[in-house]
Amino acid sequence: MTVTSYQTAPEKSSSAQPGLRKIWSATEAAALYRMPLNDLLFKAQTVHRENFDPNRVQLSRLLSIKTGGCPEDCAYCSQSVHHESGLSASKLMEVERVIREARKARDAGATRYCMGAAWRNPKPRDMEAVVAMVKGVKALGMETCMTLGMLDREQSGQLAEAGLDYYNHNIDTSERYYSEIITTRHFADRLETLENVRAAGMKVCCGGIVGMGEEGIDRIEMLVTLANLPEHPESVPINMLIPIAGTPLADAAPIDPIDFVRTVALARIMMPESMVRLSAGRSAMTDEMQAMCFFAGANSIFVGDTLLTAGNPENDKDMALFQRLGLQPMELEQPS
Ligand code: SAM
Ligand code: DTB
Ligand code: SF4
């Protein structure tokens, strides 16, 4: 029997029962994921329209502020010292250069700027520079996001105080499959950082990767973990694995595009008010697959020809896609 339970939700309620938020069981989520596709897409698009303008898509831009040389062994990543991807390690980028790059991204239409570092966690000596980056990018009028690995309470507090809007920290897959992908940290470590980020008052960007050889149930359980967090992550990136030569997942079998679309639809239904980001892997998707993802409720993408280290569609290609689909970039809400 499927049990539906509810808990008091700290954020605006989106469940049928005012003031209460649904707690998902894996059984319920799996039933949705496995529905006939038309039924699943209809449900996802309905939820999407209740919460968002269906023709607006947020544009975010990424910058790698410290590339390569990472001590973690994430099986998908070009930046781990454990793999032979051929990527050379860089030092932390200068603050002025980060701000220059952010200005260019803003002028090209991006409203959120996400700065990523190939760290297990930031060292105390790094904090002054990253705090200056947050302040500088915020002063350009953009939303700021960082992804720097694990954070303790103190570091979370420092970033929040600097004005960082979002912290990205992905759970990547199900708890069951986690140790197949990463051995240098545990699933619980990710949840602890997410708690620290929340406790400091920042918004959470948390999602995962599909196409790493996981089963459907791993995608479902990953989304159940996210949807049952005390608060939904405000942003949920769904990455399709970019296979990187030299990593253990270089030859992973590509995911069925329809299963990818199902994952996006499930994220939309389970986290109705969150931004669902069609993240890594768009270069390998057809326009039609991306269109289905937008119909399934994705409403954010990364723009620019580079993600952190891997490629992404060129601006012209994305603008042609937006034109073809009648989509418009989402504008930032002006503070009242
Ligand atoms: N080191 C930090 C961390 O792991 O949290 C931040 C940077 S890390 C590159 C950010 C996220 O990028 C990962 O959690 C993963 O979800 C995604 N990612 C990395 N390599 C990827 C790949 N080859 N394909 C798809 N997503 C990838
Ligand atoms: C996320 O979920 N995806 C972005 C962002 N958060 C930091 C990163 C994608 C990285 C893709 C592989 C690369 O560029 O190296
Ligand atoms: Fe390091 Fe992040 Fe890459 Fe893992 S995903 S190896 S933590 S940069």
Side-chain angles (χ1 to χ4, degrees), residues 62 78-79 114 147 168 170 237 239 242 279-280 302 307-310:
L62 271 168
S78 62
Q79 307 199 65
C114 179
T147 181
N168 166 251
N170 292 339
N239 296 278
I242 301 178
S279 299
F302 285 119
L307 293 163
L308 290 173
T309 69

Side-chain angles (χ1 to χ4, degrees), residues 14-33:
S14 53
S15 80
Q17 290 177 249
L20 299 175
R21 203 189 76 203
K22 185 171 164 51
I23 295 300
W24 288 88
S25 71
T27 317
E28 282 173 305
L32 275 175
Y33 183 83

Side-chain angles (χ1 to χ4, degrees), residues 57-62 101-114 137 140-143 301-304 315 319 329-332:
V57 172
Q58 180 196 51
L59 308 185
S60 298
R61 177 78 211 223
L62 271 168
E101 295 296 330
R103 187 177 290 114
K104 278 194 249 166
R106 181 197 64 183
D107 295 346
T111 56
R112 189 179 298 181
Y113 204 63
C114 179
V137 175
L140 297 173
M142 301 179 90
E143 288 185 321
I301 57 170
F302 285 119
V303 288
N315 191 51
M319 289 308 104
M330 200 180 278
E331 278 156 21
L332 265 190

Side-chain angles (χ1 to χ4, degrees), residues 70 74 76-79 116-120 147-150 168-170 172 185 190 207-209 239-244 280-281 308:
C70 183
C74 311
Y76 47 78
C77 189
S78 62
Q79 307 199 65
W119 287 327
R120 176 174 163 82
T147 181
L148 314 172
M150 299 184 220
N168 166 251
H169 200 65
N170 292 339
D172 280 332
R185 57 169 191 259
R190 294 308 258 189
I209 311 179
N239 296 278
M240 185 172 82
L241 177 75
I242 301 178
I244 311 269
L308 290 173

